[in-house]
Amino acid sequence: MTLHVKTSQGTYDIWIQRGALHRAGEVFNLSRKVLIVTDSGVPEDYAMTIASQCDDAVLFVFEQGESSKTLTTYSGILEALTMNAFTRTDCVVAVGGGVVGDMTGFAAATYMRGIDFYNIPTTLLSQVDSSIGGKTAVDFMGYKNLVGAFYQPRGVLIDPQVLETLTPRHITNGLAEVIKMAATCDEELFHLLEAAEFSESVLDEVIIRALQIKKQVVEADERESGLRKVLNYGHTLGHAIESITTPSLFHGECVALGMLPMCAPAVRDRLKHTLERWGLPTEFSFKSEQLIQVCRHDKKTAGDTISVVFVPEIGYYDIKQMSFGEFEDLVREVTQL
Ligand SMILES: NC(=O)c1ccc[n+]([C@@H]2O[C@H](COP(=O)([O-])OP(=O)(O)OC[C@H]3O[C@@H](n4cnc5c(N)ncnc54)[C@H](O)[C@@H]3O)[C@@H](O)[C@H]2O)c1
């Protein structure tokens, strides 16, 4: 299955197929110098499988984890490109999760003002979310994704088979973003997540359908000036929870909790059931005052109001401008359950 994504810089393809890792050379131009970037947690085989399909491959491996998403690692990628005399006609390939993809994309965007970037996401979160939309970044001075660029890949290859080595918790973490997309935009996909048992074919379908939703959203709003805000459902509160609980809760787990207050009561029941059945948290162990305090510093605040994605009915959403009082009431409804 191939999805064609239209951007202002042209079109690129997302190729989704089990076993596709072994056939990357069929869809990517690897007959040139190729810098393969991966991290220490991604099974080495994956990068090696890509290297075996290149004429001239250089490997760059950094320490796994968000704490590596820094200017230092970014600089290391640029050094590898420079030391190996990469030119504008060469390319980089990211093989890994969102950390690898975001940083490799940013290095590709800035080396010689832009060289070709291919992305091979290997976590569920990166397959359904970060590999599409052109956002690249590194963290800076404690702020997440503070330095970055919009830079579109030349191509994306998604091989659901690589998820077999991922921990169940990382699968669940990615599913939170899928549940978010389904709750706001696709009632049918939500129903599938509510009812289906986990299997390879369900996973493949979930990946494809989540990508179709994200493709529609980012094509309509490439630079996040309007529609793309829907992707922030659960994120305002989610980020606040993340800043209090990191590293004990993963991003998707925080988003799961962040979605619960921002919906109608009937939606909340279905959402809670669905999050629970996939092993995502639904219980709050922190005080609403603590969360509100952090939310007041969110980018989406303006004076005493905050912009929030709210789900009135599964498959639909509103972007509401709320006072902090209203926001706090919603958070309280859930934290005091
Ligand atoms: N660009 C975007 O639009 C966007 C969207 C969402 C998130 N993000 C970013 O993505 C990052 C999170 O991504 P993530 O959740 O993929 O985390 P991650 O990249 O840290 O990967 C999670 C862990 O899984 C390991 N791993 C990766 N693939 C594996 C595999 N197939 N088998 C076994 N282990 C594997 C990694 O080594 C890592 O330890 C954050 O930095 C976030 O800011 C970006």
Side-chain angles (χ1 to χ4, degrees):
M1 158 107 194
T2 305
L3 294 177
H4 310 289
V5 184
K6 289 192 216 89
T7 77
S8 55
Q9 293 163 20
T11 301
Y12 66 89
D13 286 347
I14 302 181
W15 188 38
I16 311 144
Q17 197 181 318
R18 281 190 177 262
L21 198 67
H22 297 271
R23 297 172 54 199
E26 293 174 27
V27 284
F28 296 166
N29 173 6
L30 302 177
S31 307
R32 45 182 165 164
K33 272 189 190 158
V34 180
L35 180 76
I36 301 168
V37 182
T38 190
D39 72 37
S40 58
V42 180
E44 201 183 342
D45 268 13
Y46 301 162
M48 289 308 168
T49 301
I50 299 304
S52 69
Q53 298 167 71
C54 301
D55 290 348
D56 185 1
V58 177
L59 192 63
F60 183 87
V61 187
F62 63 85
E63 191 54 44
Q64 64 183 309
E66 185 73 27
S67 57
S68 287
K69 203 175 164 185
T70 58
L71 283 182
T72 309
T73 314
Y74 160 77
S75 175
I77 301 173
L78 298 184
E79 271 167 33
L81 289 165
T82 311
M83 306 279 276
N84 290 286
F86 274 63
T87 69
R88 266 190 167 161
T89 56
D90 299 318
C91 68
V92 292
V93 182
V95 181
V99 168
V100 174
D102 276 14
M103 270 207 307
T104 310
F106 185 49
T110 47
Y111 183 72
M112 294 191 169
R113 299 197 184 86
I115 65 170
D116 284 356
F117 164 49
Y118 296 118
N119 199 355
I120 304 183
T122 62
T123 60
L124 182 59
L125 181 130
S126 58
Q127 294 193 342
V128 297
D129 193 0
S130 61
S131 63
I132 174 170
K135 282 189 184 177
T136 71
V138 296
D139 303 337
F140 188 60
M141 292 182 72
Y143 294 98
K144 225 170 124 65
N145 300 327
L146 191 72
V147 178
F150 279 97
Y151 192 66
Q152 305 296 343
R154 278 272 153 214
V156 177
L157 181 153
I158 291 181
D159 181 351
Q161 217 160 292
V162 300
L163 302 180
E164 281 166 16
T165 50
L166 207 57
T167 62
R169 192 172 169 203
H170 272 113
I171 296 276
T172 299
N173 184 50
L175 277 174
E177 297 287 355
V178 180
I179 293 170
K180 170 201 78 179
M181 294 188 221
T184 48
C185 301
D186 187 342
E187 208 273 333
E188 230 179 83
L189 176 58
F190 193 88
H191 184 64
L192 179 82
L193 293 160
E194 228 171 6
E197 290 307 321
F198 188 81
S199 70
E200 272 185 11
S201 63
V202 166
L203 185 62
D204 293 2
E205 185 176 347
V206 158
I207 292 170
I208 291 168
R209 293 182 67 153
L211 280 167
Q212 283 167 331
I213 296 171
K214 184 143 184 195
K215 166 182 141 65
Q216 243 181 353
V217 172
V218 299
E219 280 182 347
D221 181 16
E222 194 173 315
R223 292 275 177 152
E224 203 167 36
S225 49
L227 179 66
R228 203 157 160 167
K229 291 195 179 114
V230 61
L231 300 172
N232 289 331
Y233 178 47
H235 280 62
T236 303
L237 194 57
H239 283 148
I241 296 169
E242 208 169 349
S243 73
I244 295 171
T245 60
T246 296
S248 60
L249 285 185
F250 287 178
H251 174 74
E253 294 168 339
C254 298
V255 170
L257 290 169
M259 288 190 277
L260 281 169
M262 303 302 149
C263 57
V267 170
R268 193 172 299 149
D269 291 343
R270 287 179 72 184
L271 192 56
K272 192 162 183 276
H273 159 81
T274 308
L275 294 172
E276 272 165 3
R277 85 181 288 262
W278 292 106
L280 283 156
T282 56
E283 303 291 331
F284 283 78
S285 58
F286 10 78
K287 295 208 159 39
S288 55
E289 298 75 41
Q290 195 183 4
L291 294 172
I292 304 298
Q293 199 56 34
V294 183
C295 288
R296 282 189 183 270
H297 296 285
D298 192 280
K299 293 196 279 280
K300 293 172 281 301
T301 56
D304 199 45
T305 62
I306 184 161
S307 172
V308 167
V309 182
F310 185 88
V311 175
E313 192 181 331
I314 293 291
Y316 298 88
Y317 68 93
D318 294 326
I319 299 198
K320 286 192 176 183
Q321 206 62 35
M322 286 182 191
S323 68
F324 266 101
E326 288 171 277
F327 183 77
E328 201 164 343
D329 287 346
L330 284 173
V331 175
R332 280 227 173 84
E333 273 178 34
V334 172
T335 50
Q336 289 176 357
L337 276 182

